[in-house]
Amino acid sequence: MYKYFLAALCLLLAFPVTVQAQPVSAVKKDRKFYEQKGDVIWEVQTDKKWIAFTFDDGPDPKQTGAILDVLEQYHAKGTFFVIGKQAAQHPQMLNRIAFEGHEVANHTFNHIFFRLPSSPERVRTEIERTEAEIIKATGKGSALFRPPGGIYDETIIREARRLGLYPIMWSWHQDTRDWSRPGIKKIVNKVLDNAHNGDIVLFHDFVQGSSQTVEALKQILPELQRRGYEIVTVSELIQSSSRQLHKSSIPSKHKS
């Protein structure tokens, strides 16, 4: 009997029984996570027939100016996510954007695609240098920030919020890809076929080569207005949100 007990003990020592702890599920930090926290906005829940048009990569004296002319013609407002080095070269365009009641927002200084995990110092420098140019041209800072390419991580979001800026993306169904010059009709159809309350539409006010955005806007704006939509700034859109989380997360006006 003793030898059987000794054999069993040897087996237990050779193959110890381990008690595994229940795995703890890590929080998945995807779009849903950040939207629920109210840290990033892709689109807004609102009962109003409001849509925000956003324009990246300017300012450009020719293309931005032409877009401003069309917006004025249709009494529409836009949000311009400006690149700092472009702003430094064309401060008069930033001044015009602000003077005509549009929104100036931050799109980094060099339009770099942040390598993830991102460097806090690099993120801060890119944002702060652009803010300095915005303040120099308009007299006040911006409230919103959009990382180039929509690339983000916890560091980018945290640093933007620490600097008082709210990260804004765009509705995935409203990426016009106008930068690739897909044809005026494709840009028009992309917006009109997918229009919903609270959309944030992605355009560009600087496109290499001949931009198709201005001609597309000339068709998009009157049709949306015929359907009862109003084109507003992103901050105005957020203030109309049916989610208190979003409304309390953004200042009602730009910082002084």
Side-chain angles (χ1 to χ4, degrees):
M1 187 73 177
Y2 175 77
K3 65 179 181 181
Y4 293 123
F5 171 77
L6 188 60
L9 181 60
C10 290
L11 283 172
L12 286 172
L13 291 174
F15 302 100
V17 177
T18 57
V19 178
Q20 275 194 321
Q22 290 297 318
V24 178
S25 298
V27 176
K28 186 179 180 182
K29 293 185 177 180
D30 55 7
R31 170 175 171 171
K32 183 178 179 182
F33 172 82
Y34 288 111
E35 276 188 319
Q36 288 179 341
K37 283 187 65 182
D39 280 344
V40 185
I41 287 180
W42 280 262
E43 56 214 15
V44 169
Q45 296 178 16
T46 179
D47 296 328
K48 295 186 177 181
K49 296 196 75 171
W50 284 9
I51 292 177
F53 282 8
T54 65
F55 302 90
D56 287 10
D57 297 358
D60 176 77
K62 181 178 179 181
Q63 295 180 32
T64 305
I67 287 170
L68 289 171
D69 289 344
V70 178
L71 293 177
E72 182 180 18
Q73 179 183 351
Y74 291 99
H75 308 288
K77 299 301 179 186
T79 299
F80 291 79
F81 287 91
V82 302
I83 296 173
K85 64 182 180 182
Q86 291 288 105
Q89 294 177 30
H90 310 292
Q92 72 283 358
M93 290 308 306
L94 263 69
N95 188 271
R96 180 184 170 186
I97 291 168
F99 180 77
E100 294 183 4
H102 305 286
E103 186 166 29
V104 179
N106 193 309
H107 197 41
T108 73
F109 193 85
N110 292 295
H111 197 264
I112 60 169
F113 283 26
F114 291 116
R115 294 180 62 182
L116 305 181
S118 56
S119 159
E121 294 77 15
R122 186 74 182 275
V123 174
R124 277 197 304 273
T125 298
E126 285 289 321
I127 295 175
E128 287 176 336
R129 291 181 70 188
T130 304
E131 281 300 291
E133 295 299 333
I134 292 173
I135 293 169
K136 189 189 302 183
T138 69
K140 53 188 175 183
S142 59
L144 310 177
F145 168 69
R146 174 175 286 166
I151 297 171
Y152 67 95
D153 63 5
E154 188 77 15
T155 299
I156 293 169
I157 294 167
R158 182 181 65 248
E159 294 304 319
R161 297 304 298 267
R162 280 180 178 175
L163 293 170
L165 303 181
Y166 201 58
I168 303 296
M169 300 300 180
W170 57 86
S171 304
W172 285 347
H173 58 277
Q174 288 289 16
D175 181 355
T176 64
R177 295 181 61 83
D178 59 340
W179 59 267
S180 66
R181 302 172 66 242
I184 295 169
K185 186 175 181 180
K186 283 192 175 181
I187 298 172
V188 171
N189 290 342
K190 184 67 173 180
V191 178
L192 296 182
D193 291 349
N194 297 287
H196 297 92
N197 295 6
D199 280 352
I200 297 176
V201 185
L202 175 61
F203 295 105
H204 294 77
D205 61 321
F206 176 69
V207 175
Q208 291 285 354
S210 179
S211 172
Q212 300 168 335
T213 306
V214 172
E215 293 305 313
L217 287 171
K218 290 177 181 178
Q219 298 180 41
I220 293 167
L221 283 166
E223 176 57 24
L224 286 179
Q225 290 177 344
R226 187 191 69 79
R227 298 181 191 180
Y229 286 103
E230 185 176 350
I231 312 304
V232 300
T233 67
V234 170
S235 287
E236 289 174 322
L237 188 65
I238 294 170
Q239 289 299 318
S240 76
S241 173
S242 56
R243 290 187 63 185
Q244 186 62 37
L245 179 63
H246 287 169
K247 292 165 70 176
S248 64
S249 298
I250 188 94
S252 59
K253 58 182 179 179
H254 297 321
K255 305 185 297 299
S256 297

